[in-house]
Amino acid sequence: MDGQKKYDIKETLGSLETNAGTGLSEAEAKRRIEKYGANEIPENEETTFQRIIKRLWGPIPWMIEIAAILSAVVQKWEDFTIIITLLFVNLVVDFLQESKALNALKVLKEKLAKKALVKRESKFMDIDARWVVPGDIIKLKIGAIVPADAVLVSGNYLQVDQAALTGESLPTDKNVGDIVYGNSIIKMGEMEAVVTKTGMNTYFGKSASLVVKASREQKSHFQKAVINIGNGLIILTAFLAILLIIFSIFRHDSMMEVFRFVLVLVVASIPVALPAVMSVTLAIGAMNLAKRQAIVSRLAAIEELAGVDVLCSDKTGTLTQNKMSIGEPKPYNNFTQKDLFLYATLASRKENNDPIEVPIFTKGAELGIEQALSSYTQEKFIPFDPVRKRTDATINSPGGTLFIAKGAPQVILGLCENEIHGKEINDDVYGFAEKGNRTLGVAVKKENERTYSLVGLIPMYDPPREDSKETIAKARDLGIKVKMVTGDNHAIAIEIARMLNIGDNIMDTAELKQENTTKELTLLANIISTTLYKKLSPGVNDTEIKKFGDEIVKKVENELAYSRIPQGHIRKHESEIIEIIENADGFSQVLPEDKYYIIDKLQRANHIVAMTGDGVNDAPALKKADAGIAVSGATDAARAAADLVLMAPGLSVIINALTEARLVFERMKGYATFRIAETMRVILFMSLSILVFNFYPVTAVMIIILALLNDIPIMMIAYDNAEASKLPVRWNMHEVMTIAAVLGIAGVISSFLLYYFLEKMQYAQALIQTLIFVKLDVAGHSTLYVTRTGEKHFWKKPYPALKFFIPAFSSRIIGTLVATFGIFMAPVSWRDVGYIWIYATAWFIFNDYLKVWTFKLIRR
């Protein structure tokens, strides 16, 4: 494979005109950016022309366009003008709102730009990966995504996951001289590399069409539900439209006029603004989340966040400060504290800014080891990885070569074969752990020595964040169960959970696995016993039964024949494990695969789960969770897998994000209820008037004007005030449809009553049509105020936002002025318009009470 080809380092550096020791200068980097371009894959963005044409092409635009053509054919130029106006107003508003959403997403994506650790002018610095150029010296370490194609020039080794690029199922080991591809993930190790290709010239760039995911986002449950509502309304409208055409044929009406009217009615009833409202509401919600330091990488995830009822939170950096402080160190074997921190510093690298190592450098400076450090040179350094659980350094010292190891105490103690303080050390480690401390062991050996000598233990304490306890209490009030998930040992987990009032039922994942295994074996034994008694003849002796049973157990264990267990037994066993996980307040000593397992079991219990993570190994769990959250400082791999990326540390950011998501959900639920009710109100009233009374209550042009006036305030729902639910929200289609149907039917009744009164008062048909137009306009916008407050009365908080109220109220005024001045319709008096406003307002108040009563009835 080309990826395993060895390169001559000097030749490679020479051809790229790069000094491995100093890296490029800023001036040279800028010159190469101009020469090679930015290190990015250009996105296939739609042109302005394509975006405009898209809005003129499709079933809904076709119906509007056909209606306009038919109006021109029968020379109804006023209708033609209004229909064309509707088409282009929708086009412009939708286009502008989409532009706003796209610009918002572009800003968010820029905040999520991948980072690269690049050596410039002899110093390593974090820069956006898009500014990496050929010749740059980059540092690659665990969890990083390789920013561009590069050749490894120094370091021990790397383990690289390049499955998405080459199809290799397992990570590949890389050494000096090997090439690493851009967008592959570092699984283990740390090395330096020189960038050879960037942007479209990389392996990834040349294969972009094969590896880039589809740009269309996956729709959330809520989006699917709202789209299904739209489809249902289209079906209802189409059914009534066909019915109207059939009746008109029997009445021998002018088919051209009937068809034109029906087409206009269908256009007005279909939720034309649905896509724009959804995209704008989600985009505005994403921008609000960004202000709260939470970046949404997938807009559809906002709805999932609103329904989260279990939050599996990482401890370090989320519940705690991730700023380790040194406790009282414990040296051994005649070493001093100064010796302990000297060797610990030599087995660390300052430029890595490892949160475990930062306090070691600080403490070492306090003890005055700088002068002593100048006598030592770090020749080789192997960074920490989750498997070896230690760092190793080879040091040139005045007394010869030293080998220093720093890491988990049990691992370091395992290197010290002649250690005589074993029991004392274990007692000290346990004592530190009981106080919530993490302990590092440090050991050293000389070149001529066979085994290491333990230098000492360094206890480190990561205190809880000041806001964590209060935030967890707030999460509990919001109906969210916070479960702490940490890789730390059991004692530390219990101490932190106690301090934060999370709960005292902290489960060691080893116990969970043991519980799982025990239940499986018990279950298998029961099944085997039952099978034996059923299948074997009564004459078989106990010894043969036992022998046969042992053989079956061995076979089942070897072949993992779990699928042979009857489904009833599986469900019983599964429910017991799920119950244990549900009741736990947290989990300690968690591995990445354990996170995935915990999420899976909670989801099987119908929980919507959010999971935090920061490492490359957390990526599967972040993808599995309903809402994957990459915490502040997460690796590129974790950020790429997450739905939400936190830009600030702490749990409070997550709670703010969940609250904002619930606000977005409430706005969308209010819109969905309004849209269903309004469509039912218009289409049923129109259809029944024509079918029963053979009377057209409004003209085609009035329908178009109503649709136009409705779409103006609808677009501003995204900016309206809302109240976040106190509990996690789920999409309740039955409730929404019931409320909408009640309001829609009430609207139909009020319209027929008005028609009855106007007929009794012997108004002319043209005046009746205008007054019904005013009523539909005023009452329709009033429905917005009814649906936006949910089960509460319209006068309760939150009050409408000005950005929503002004367009909504203005559209009612515009509709009234159109009627009084007789624009495209017969003019009516101000007195009659005043009566209609009073009539519509009375029904508005009645509808509000009707809505509240209906909520109480269906929630009883």
Side-chain angles (χ1 to χ4, degrees):
M1 177 179 292
D2 182 59
Q4 298 300 319
K5 179 182 177 181
K6 291 286 184 182
Y7 284 80
D8 183 271
I9 305 304
K10 290 183 179 179
E11 184 179 328
T12 302
L13 292 171
S15 64
L16 293 168
E17 300 177 3
T18 298
N19 185 315
T22 62
L24 299 177
S25 66
E26 289 296 334
E28 177 61 19
K30 290 180 181 178
R31 188 187 70 79
R32 296 192 185 192
I33 280 286
E34 294 176 359
K35 179 179 179 181
Y36 297 105
N39 178 36
E40 59 187 359
I41 307 298
E43 296 184 14
N44 293 322
E45 296 183 0
E46 291 180 317
T47 64
T48 301
F49 178 76
Q50 288 173 326
R51 288 169 57 202
I52 291 174
I53 290 298
K54 183 175 68 176
R55 282 160 176 76
L56 296 173
W57 190 262
I60 293 175
W62 289 340
M63 285 189 284
I64 298 176
E65 290 154 12
I66 292 171
I69 292 170
L70 291 176
S71 297
V73 169
V74 297
Q75 298 185 350
K76 294 280 186 177
W77 299 113
E78 292 177 349
D79 292 10
F80 174 82
T81 303
I82 295 296
I83 292 172
I84 291 297
T85 302
L86 171 68
L87 180 66
F88 281 97
V89 166
N90 271 319
L91 185 152
V92 171
V93 171
D94 191 18
F95 180 84
L96 292 177
Q97 295 291 0
E98 184 191 57
S99 298
K100 187 180 295 184
L102 289 175
N103 291 335
L105 287 176
K106 189 173 291 186
V107 171
L108 300 184
K109 286 179 180 179
E110 286 175 359
K111 290 186 179 183
L112 289 177
K114 288 189 299 182
K115 297 290 184 178
L117 191 57
V118 178
K119 183 181 283 188
R120 295 274 174 88
E121 298 178 350
S122 301
K123 294 181 180 179
F124 277 101
M125 59 183 70
D126 269 319
I127 66 170
D128 285 344
R130 69 191 306 262
W131 302 124
V132 169
V133 295
D136 262 328
I137 301 297
I138 57 175
K139 179 174 285 189
L140 303 172
K141 52 186 178 180
I142 185 170
I145 295 179
V146 182
D149 289 0
V151 173
L152 299 172
V153 295
S154 66
N156 190 38
Y157 83 104
L158 285 181
Q159 193 176 84
V160 183
D161 180 359
Q162 52 191 32
L165 303 175
T166 64
E168 296 167 284
S169 58
L170 297 174
T172 305
D173 290 330
K174 302 282 188 178
N175 298 290
V176 171
D178 287 336
I179 189 170
V180 286
Y181 294 132
N183 285 280
S184 55
I185 301 170
I186 306 302
K187 301 288 286 186
M188 193 178 296
E190 179 180 306
M191 292 186 73
E192 292 181 13
V194 57
V195 174
T196 55
K197 296 176 182 178
T198 59
M200 290 299 292
N201 294 319
T202 62
Y203 183 94
F204 177 81
K206 292 177 180 178
S207 308
S209 60
L210 300 177
V211 298
V212 175
K213 294 180 180 178
S215 59
R216 186 170 299 173
E217 295 182 335
Q218 180 182 354
K219 293 181 176 64
S220 69
H221 298 106
F222 181 69
Q223 286 176 306
K224 291 176 181 177
V226 174
I227 290 172
N228 287 336
I229 289 172
N231 293 337
L233 294 178
I234 290 173
I235 293 171
L236 173 63
T237 304
F239 171 76
L240 292 174
I242 293 170
L243 206 60
L244 286 175
I245 293 173
I246 293 173
F247 269 72
S248 298
I249 291 173
F250 283 104
R251 289 173 178 170
H252 304 291
D253 295 335
S254 169
M255 289 312 299
M256 182 67 74
E257 283 291 334
V258 169
F259 188 64
R260 189 177 66 88
F261 182 87
V262 167
L263 201 58
V264 169
L265 183 61
V266 170
V267 169
S269 302
I270 290 172
V272 179
L274 176 67
V277 172
M278 290 183 64
S279 61
V280 172
T281 303
L282 292 174
I284 297 302
M287 290 299 291
N288 290 335
L289 287 173
K291 293 175 184 176
R292 295 173 180 243
Q293 300 296 300
I295 308 300
V296 178
S297 59
R298 185 173 66 92
L299 281 181
I302 292 178
E303 180 263 329
E304 306 290 2
L305 281 169
V308 166
D309 61 340
V310 175
L311 170 60
C312 294
S313 175
D314 187 29
K315 177 183 75 67
T316 305
T318 305
L319 298 176
T320 61
Q321 296 179 17
N322 197 21
K323 293 181 180 178
M324 305 298 289
S325 57
I326 303 292
E328 186 62 34
K330 183 73 179 287
Y332 294 91
N333 299 318
N334 298 320
F335 288 104
T336 65
Q337 275 197 32
K338 193 170 183 178
D339 294 330
L340 176 57
F341 283 94
L342 172 65
Y343 291 128
T345 301
L346 290 170
S348 307
R349 275 196 173 170
K350 195 168 187 177
E351 66 265 23
N352 286 353
N353 289 317
D354 190 311
I356 298 293
E357 296 177 345
V358 168
I360 292 176
F361 285 101
T362 303
K363 183 68 174 179
E366 291 175 3
L367 294 174
I369 65 171
E370 286 92 344
Q371 187 174 354
L373 281 173
S374 62
S375 302
Y376 298 85
T377 304
Q378 192 182 81
E379 288 294 320
K380 184 178 180 181
F381 179 75
I382 302 176
F384 179 88
D385 68 68
V387 178
R388 297 171 67 254
K389 296 185 183 296
R390 72 175 198 260
T391 62
D392 288 286
T394 303
I395 307 295
N396 281 340
S397 73
T401 301
L402 297 178
F403 300 94
I404 305 174
K406 170 176 63 62
Q410 65 272 22
V411 174
I412 299 303
L413 194 59
L415 300 174
C416 307
E417 296 177 6
N418 300 326
E419 184 56 59
I420 61 174
H421 302 285
K423 184 178 185 308
E424 179 187 351
I425 293 168
N426 287 328
D427 289 343
D428 287 338
V429 171
Y430 186 76
F432 290 141
E434 282 188 319
K435 297 177 182 178
N437 290 324
R438 172 183 290 181
T439 307
L440 282 179
V442 180
V444 63
K445 76 168 182 174
K446 295 180 180 178
E447 190 172 16
N448 59 350
E449 293 177 341
R450 189 178 66 84
T451 185
Y452 283 80
S453 296
L454 183 67
V455 180
L457 299 176
I458 302 176
M460 310 184 82
Y461 176 61
D462 182 14
R465 293 179 56 83
E466 293 179 0
D467 61 344
S468 289
K469 188 173 181 178
E470 180 185 350
T471 305
I472 289 170
K474 185 177 179 181
R476 197 174 289 118
D477 292 339
L478 292 172
I480 301 170
K481 170 70 173 177
V482 179
K483 295 181 184 289
M484 183 176 70
V485 180
T486 177
D488 273 340
N489 70 48
H490 198 58
I492 293 177
I494 290 175
E495 177 68 12
I496 295 296
R498 182 191 63 77
M499 296 172 69
L500 297 178
N501 284 343
I502 288 177
D504 56 5
N505 185 17
I506 304 300
M507 172 163 283
D508 189 328
T509 49
E511 294 178 11
L512 180 63
K513 292 170 186 174
Q514 184 179 6
E515 181 80 20
N516 190 13
T517 304
T518 302
K519 289 184 180 297
E520 286 180 358
L521 291 175
T522 303
L523 180 61
L524 286 171
N526 289 336
I527 293 172
I528 291 167
S529 300
T530 303
T531 304
L532 287 171
Y533 278 106
K534 286 183 178 179
K535 298 295 183 183
L536 297 178
S537 61
V540 179
N541 60 46
D542 292 341
T543 303
E544 290 177 338
I545 290 176
K546 185 179 182 304
K547 180 180 178 182
F548 185 51
D550 290 341
E551 289 176 356
I552 293 177
V553 171
K554 185 176 181 180
K555 184 176 182 181
V556 170
E557 289 178 343
N558 290 339
E559 299 182 6
L560 299 176
Y562 190 77
S563 60
R564 298 181 185 178
I565 301 174
Q567 292 300 310
H569 291 288
I570 291 177
R571 283 193 292 271
K572 180 181 177 182
H573 168 61
E574 182 87 0
S575 64
E576 291 173 342
I577 296 296
I578 288 173
E579 185 178 356
I580 292 171
I581 292 176
E582 280 187 301
N583 292 334
D585 297 311
F587 305 89
S588 63
Q589 300 192 135
V590 174
L591 298 174
E593 57 266 28
D594 298 328
K595 288 186 178 183
Y596 191 96
Y597 180 82
I598 291 167
I599 294 171
D600 179 63
K601 298 306 178 188
L602 288 169
Q603 287 174 332
R604 287 173 184 265
N606 200 33
H607 291 287
I608 296 181
V609 185
M611 167 66 80
T612 67
D614 60 357
V616 61
N617 291 330
D618 291 327
L622 292 174
K623 277 291 185 186
K624 173 65 176 171
D626 298 287
I629 303 171
V631 298
S632 175
T635 61
D636 287 339
R639 287 151 64 104
D643 301 309
L644 195 72
V645 180
L646 305 186
M647 307 304 289
L651 189 65
S652 60
V653 184
I654 301 174
I655 302 303
N656 289 337
L658 294 173
T659 303
E660 181 62 36
R662 292 185 188 183
L663 293 176
V664 172
F665 188 94
E666 292 301 321
R667 294 187 188 106
M668 294 300 293
K669 187 172 71 172
Y671 163 69
T673 308
F674 162 78
R675 185 66 263 182
I676 299 169
E678 189 67 9
T679 298
M680 291 179 67
R681 188 171 65 102
V682 172
I683 192 70
L684 288 176
F685 174 58
M686 299 287 185
S687 301
L688 291 175
S689 297
I690 298 170
L691 293 174
V692 178
F693 299 104
N694 195 22
F695 171 70
Y696 287 78
V698 291
T699 63
V701 71
M702 290 178 182
I703 295 175
I704 296 298
I705 295 174
L706 281 172
L708 190 60
L709 293 175
N710 270 338
D711 282 351
I712 295 172
I714 281 293
M715 293 294 180
M716 306 309 291
I717 282 179
Y719 299 94
D720 190 22
N721 294 326
E723 183 178 24
S725 170
K726 297 297 182 183
L727 295 172
V729 288
R730 299 285 184 101
W731 181 245
N732 189 337
M733 182 68 76
H734 170 72
E735 182 177 273
V736 170
M737 291 297 293
T738 301
I739 298 296
V742 168
L743 293 176
I745 292 171
V748 172
I749 293 171
S750 67
S751 295
F752 273 118
L753 277 176
L754 177 62
Y755 173 62
Y756 172 78
F757 291 141
L758 294 175
E759 277 283 320
K760 280 289 184 181
M761 297 171 68
Q762 297 184 342
Y763 274 76
Q765 180 173 331
L767 292 178
I768 291 176
Q769 288 177 323
T770 303
L771 290 173
I772 287 178
F773 164 81
V774 175
K775 186 266 177 186
L776 292 175
D777 178 46
V778 175
H781 292 141
S782 298
T783 308
L784 282 169
Y785 302 112
V786 174
T787 60
R788 65 177 294 278
T789 54
E791 71 273 14
K792 297 191 303 183
H793 288 292
F794 71 90
W795 60 80
K796 299 286 183 70
K797 289 184 178 180
Y799 302 126
L802 284 178
K803 283 186 176 181
F804 167 73
F805 176 76
I806 291 174
F809 190 76
S810 298
S811 61
R812 298 166 77 183
I813 298 298
I814 291 170
T816 301
L817 292 175
V818 167
T820 53
F821 287 104
I823 302 173
F824 303 121
M825 62 191 71
V828 293
S829 67
W830 285 103
R831 185 191 65 179
D832 288 341
V833 166
Y835 286 142
I836 295 298
W837 271 72
I838 294 171
Y839 181 81
T841 302
W843 271 95
F844 160 61
I845 296 171
F846 172 78
N847 286 341
D848 186 70
Y849 275 96
L850 183 63
K851 173 203 69 174
V852 173
W853 295 334
T854 306
F855 265 112
K856 289 180 179 178
L857 182 64
I858 60 181
R859 290 184 176 180
R860 187 173 58 186

